[in-house]
Amino acid sequence: MNKVQIILFYLNALGAMGYSLIAPLFPPLFKERGLSNLVCSYIIACISLTNVIAAIYCSFLSEKFGQKNLLLFCVTGQNICIFLYGFSIYINNNPFFIFFGFVNRLAHGFFAGIINVASFSIISQITKGKELETATGYMELSWGVGLTIGPTLIGILFDIGGYSMPFIVIGIFALSGIYYTYYEVFLLI
């Protein structure tokens, strides 16, 4: 794997971690607030809706803004969403908490969907021949790694520092994704 492929693997693994970030933490928070488990499950699941929509419109957005610009914008947006989850515990108004959960999760799904599609597109542009199959496999693997490591890391960080800690730590890792996207992907492609 070359440097750009490693960075895209990292970005997609972080995206998958962010994808699974609220699943272990939101249900107990909803129970503590006396809110419905059904609403909680809708918030957790709605990320897939905008993920699919983003994937559909990614080619149009790539043509309009450029893949690298779109990737940088979405890595930044995903990072903001991850940090915002960490501060959602401080929203005391339950209806606004639910509204915020939906809006943030939908935005996160949009950003994650575009990162995934843009990564595959960039991989197909910079990788040739039989290496393309391997690189594509690694991109798929990155989601599996992120979905596996994410909940485990989240549980450990929650035990160490409470509700906001996982979002802050993963958000800091995601900040490095902004750096790598700009200084490495932009300059190497």
Side-chain angles (χ1 to χ4, degrees):
M1 281 184 25
N2 66 37
K3 197 171 191 178
V4 172
Q5 292 170 338
I6 291 169
I7 292 167
L8 293 174
F9 182 94
Y10 176 71
L11 293 175
N12 279 286
L14 279 173
M17 279 187 209
Y19 209 79
S20 64
L21 202 53
I22 70 169
L25 301 177
F26 258 35
L29 184 60
F30 266 67
K31 186 176 182 179
E32 180 183 301
R33 289 172 174 248
L35 297 170
S36 164
N37 285 334
L38 184 60
V39 173
C40 180
S41 64
Y42 287 153
I43 290 174
I44 291 171
C46 76
I47 195 169
S48 299
L49 177 65
T50 52
N51 199 287
V52 168
I53 292 168
I56 292 169
Y57 288 103
C58 186
S59 62
F60 166 75
L61 294 171
S62 289
E63 289 174 17
K64 186 168 180 143
F65 301 108
Q67 278 181 336
K68 293 186 281 186
N69 292 329
L70 193 59
L71 183 64
L72 182 62
F73 174 74
C74 289
V75 168
T76 304
Q78 177 176 265
N79 191 45
I80 291 167
C81 289
I82 289 170
F83 275 116
L84 288 175
Y85 289 132
F87 297 106
S88 65
I89 195 168
Y90 301 111
I91 300 172
N92 294 321
N93 181 318
N94 280 348
F96 185 71
F97 173 77
I98 292 169
F99 174 78
F100 173 82
F102 273 114
V103 170
N104 198 42
R105 193 79 167 149
L106 290 169
H108 188 189
F110 177 81
F111 296 132
I114 291 195
I115 291 168
N116 195 8
V117 174
S119 294
F120 276 99
S121 180
I122 291 169
I123 288 291
S124 70
Q125 290 174 10
I126 65 168
T127 311
K128 302 296 178 218
K130 291 189 177 205
E131 289 180 23
L132 180 59
E133 296 167 3
T134 304
T136 304
Y138 281 132
M139 288 301 102
E140 286 295 329
L141 175 67
S142 67
W143 270 86
V145 167
L147 289 172
T148 303
I149 293 173
T152 306
L153 182 61
I154 292 159
I156 292 167
L157 293 171
F158 178 81
D159 285 344
I160 292 170
Y163 180 83
S164 294
M165 177 72 113
F167 301 104
I168 292 168
V169 171
I170 301 225
I172 290 169
F173 281 114
L175 277 174
S176 68
I178 296 170
Y179 169 82
Y180 288 125
T181 301
Y182 184 75
Y183 288 104
E184 302 294 339
V185 175
F186 263 54
L187 299 177
L188 293 174
I189 295 180

